[in-house]
Amino acid sequence: MATLSIHFDPAVIARLTSASGDDTIHVTLSLGGGSEGETAPAVIPHGPLAALMQADLLKPDTVLSFHQRRANRSGRAVVTADGQLIVDGHPSPFPSPSKAAEAVTGNVINGWTLWHTPDGFTLDQLRQKLGTQ
């Protein structure tokens, strides 16, 4: 019978223990092969967010959010290492900010101007910074 061994980085354990009941923690498991200490190949971002990630303007595990007062709705998404967005309440990641926003709002909407980083920038503002670098 095969043995399953799961190793968590101490930072993951710290994040899990500090999470509140409303937090969603995403853990990605992959099949490893070979010897201990072997590192997994680096994940290269692709898709619409790739340029922001490669320029270090957006990092994996960044929590994006929005709040629309008039519609009384809000949303939260986490950036994956490969440049997709995992939206709370949805099992599959979304390939673009607008698709993720549409999943939350139920409307076709510009996700680049809707989603905000923790420091208050929209993805569109980050994209504009990228153009000035």
Side-chain angles (χ1 to χ4, degrees), residues 5-122:
S5 178
I6 299 175
H7 301 274
F8 288 102
D9 183 274
V12 173
I13 301 300
R15 175 86 189 271
L16 289 171
T17 57
S18 68
S20 74
D22 294 334
D23 286 342
T24 300
I25 305 293
H26 300 280
V27 177
T28 302
L29 301 177
S30 61
L31 291 175
S35 63
E36 255 188 65
E38 185 177 303
T39 59
V43 176
I44 299 171
H46 59 277
L49 297 177
L52 295 178
M53 295 178 78
Q54 291 165 350
D56 214 24
L57 292 171
L58 188 63
K59 296 185 183 306
D61 299 323
T62 299
V63 176
L64 304 175
S65 61
F66 75 84
H67 180 73
Q68 295 175 313
R69 264 180 267 159
R70 292 181 113 191
N72 194 28
R73 67 180 162 216
S74 58
R76 183 177 172 278
V78 178
V79 179
T80 65
D82 66 351
Q84 297 189 72
L85 294 174
I86 298 174
V87 177
D88 286 352
H90 294 269
S92 299
F94 293 91
S96 75
S98 295
K99 291 290 183 189
E102 184 178 342
V104 177
T105 65
N107 301 312
V108 175
I109 191 163
N110 184 348
W112 290 95
T113 58
L114 183 71
W115 294 109
H116 288 79
T117 62
D119 50 0
F121 291 103
T122 65

